[in-house]
Amino acid sequence: MTLPHPSTMDRDLFVVRFGGVFEHSPWIAEAAWEAGLAHEQDTAEGLHAALRAVFRAADHDRQLGVLCAHPDLAGRLAVAGELTASSSAEQASAGLDRCTPEEFARFQELNAAYVERFGFPFIMAVKGRSRAEILAAFGRRVENPRDTEFATALAEVETIALLRLKDLLP
């Protein structure tokens, strides 16, 4: 069955299909649909631009809510099998489901330090990255100033959303 293009979907179908592109934040898809979609939004890149515009126009607290909706990398939700399907696949693609005990301990240590320092989880588009690469970035970024890291996290969320859209749209 071929789904209709995003620009021709009704609101409910659009939100069901794209409401999870930004982790646990269907309000972004709802607002993008309500703003109106044209044929330019029928590609991953075009739809990403519309969704990203909503995300970037949101106030700081709403953006922070999106950041906080993301799970820790190799964290308790992953261990308990409680990640969204997208997050689970992304973390598995980076081998985070196969951490050594030492790597797992380092992820736990960095997750705790990062959340304590910034008030939101470490976010990185991990698809296609190695555990070593992720841990190295994690170790560097935990030292960033809060404003720098907030901006970096927003950009990473947007990258994750684009990668998810590329999986959903031809």
Side-chain angles (χ1 to χ4, degrees):
M1 178 178 123
T2 303
L3 284 174
H5 294 292
S7 65
T8 64
M9 290 181 178
D10 68 33
R11 183 183 188 279
D12 290 342
L13 179 58
F14 183 83
V15 173
V16 165
R17 185 80 171 146
F18 303 109
V21 168
F22 282 79
E23 193 87 7
H24 297 294
S25 301
W27 62 269
I28 295 172
E30 292 165 355
W33 188 90
E34 289 166 8
L37 300 170
H39 293 295
E40 291 79 27
Q41 283 81 45
D42 288 339
T43 65
E45 292 80 6
L47 185 53
H48 182 257
L51 295 170
R52 181 183 181 277
V54 170
F55 179 54
R56 285 297 174 144
D59 66 29
H60 181 272
D61 288 343
R62 274 209 116 167
Q63 290 175 339
L64 179 60
V66 174
L67 299 183
C68 289
H70 279 261
D72 289 338
L73 295 180
R76 66 174 180 76
L77 291 178
V79 171
E82 296 177 5
L83 296 175
T84 64
S86 294
S87 287
S88 182
E90 291 156 2
Q91 289 198 28
S93 79
L96 298 183
D97 58 340
R98 298 180 305 278
C99 287
T100 66
E102 295 79 18
E103 289 169 331
F104 184 75
R106 182 68 175 142
F107 271 109
Q108 300 316 299
E109 174 188 321
L110 287 167
N111 281 326
Y114 190 95
V115 169
E116 182 177 322
R117 180 171 169 94
F118 299 115
F120 54 87
F122 176 77
I123 300 170
M124 181 176 178
V126 299
K127 190 174 184 178
R129 307 279 183 107
S130 70
R131 291 188 306 269
E133 185 179 3
I134 296 163
L135 281 169
F138 209 155
R140 284 189 309 274
R141 286 179 46 196
V142 76
E143 301 300 325
N144 280 342
R146 188 177 194 286
D147 288 347
T148 299
E149 197 52 30
F150 190 82
T152 300
L154 294 179
E156 290 292 326
V157 164
E158 292 166 355
T159 299
I160 293 165
L162 179 58
L163 292 170
R164 289 176 177 180
L165 284 168
K166 286 181 176 182
D167 287 342
L168 292 171
L169 292 170

